[in-house]
Every structure is written in structure tokens, then in C-alpha cells.
Amino acid sequence: MKFIRIGPEEGSLFDTLVKNEGAFVKFYSPNCFHCNQMAPAWDALEHPTNSGLQGHTNIIEVHNEAIDKIESNCARNVNGFPTIMQVNPGGSPGKEYHGPRTTESMLQFIKSSFPLK
């Protein structure tokens, strides 16, 4: 599917994207050490996305300033950064990702959380 970055003013775009489809989402702060440290592994998810290795799942990165503008319930569960989770169609929270912050581990989580139909 798509690799999407939600900027500070684009919270409503997030709600549109998860209305009918699930997503693998990272809520982040640009001032967070851990977010910056894992950025290369997260950004590398874009390449498998382009080749279809992630299946049919959108991968969405959400700037912390957009969270207040998001109506989906999943945004209510963000207590720290980064928060990485499966988001179900309709915007409800799914499984939170607590694994290694490597591209390979995140792809494995995506494949197991969003199996091809």
C-alpha cells in the first residue's frame, strides 16, 4: 500500500486513511531521542512498501502535534514516544508493537498482524 507521513496539521487525513483500512502506525515526536534513533529503520519500511512486501497495509508516521486533531480512538492510547501500533479499520487500537526497532522485526510484525486475505 502506502508509506504516509502525517504532519502537524494533518490529523483529519489520518482519520480518513484508517476509516476503512487498517494501518501500522508510529506516533512520534521530532524531539524524542528514541524516535530519532529508530528513524532509519522506520524510513526503510518505505522500500518494502513500494515492492509490496508489507501486504496490503498502510504504514503511517504521525507527528505528535497532529494527535490532538485525530478523532480515531487509537490516538487516545499514546502515552509516550514512539508509540507504534496496529490500528484497525475505523481507527480503533490494535496490538501495540514492543519488539526490536529494526526494519526486519517491524516487517515481521506487519506480516503477522495484517495477513493477506
Side-chain angles (χ1 to χ4, degrees):
M1 287 298 230
K2 298 178 186 171
F3 186 90
I4 304 153
R5 297 179 196 277
I6 303 291
E9 302 298 322
E10 299 175 314
S12 61
L13 173 59
F14 179 86
D15 290 320
T16 300
L17 292 168
V18 300
K19 181 177 182 179
N20 296 312
E21 297 180 354
F24 183 58
V25 178
K26 176 181 82 169
F27 295 95
Y28 80 100
S29 169
N31 298 321
C32 166
F33 171 80
H34 299 289
C35 297
N36 291 324
Q37 190 175 34
M38 74 168 292
W42 181 265
D43 292 344
L45 290 172
E46 185 168 11
H47 302 295
T49 302
N50 290 339
S51 64
L53 295 178
Q54 89 301 348
H56 59 282
T57 306
N58 288 329
I59 297 173
I60 306 174
E61 176 180 82
V62 180
H63 192 286
N64 68 305
E65 292 180 16
I67 294 171
D68 289 345
K69 299 163 190 74
I70 293 174
E71 294 184 16
S72 298
N73 286 337
C74 63
R76 306 301 161 249
N77 295 333
V78 178
N79 296 317
F81 300 108
T83 294
I84 306 167
M85 68 170 68
Q86 171 190 13
V87 174
N88 298 314
S92 65
K95 295 182 279 186
E96 193 163 334
Y97 178 76
H98 294 289
R101 293 178 182 161
T102 66
T103 305
E104 296 79 18
S105 294
M106 289 186 283
L107 277 172
Q108 188 59 38
F109 179 85
I110 291 167
K111 289 175 187 176
S112 66
S113 299
F114 302 96
L116 291 173
K117 294 180 181 177

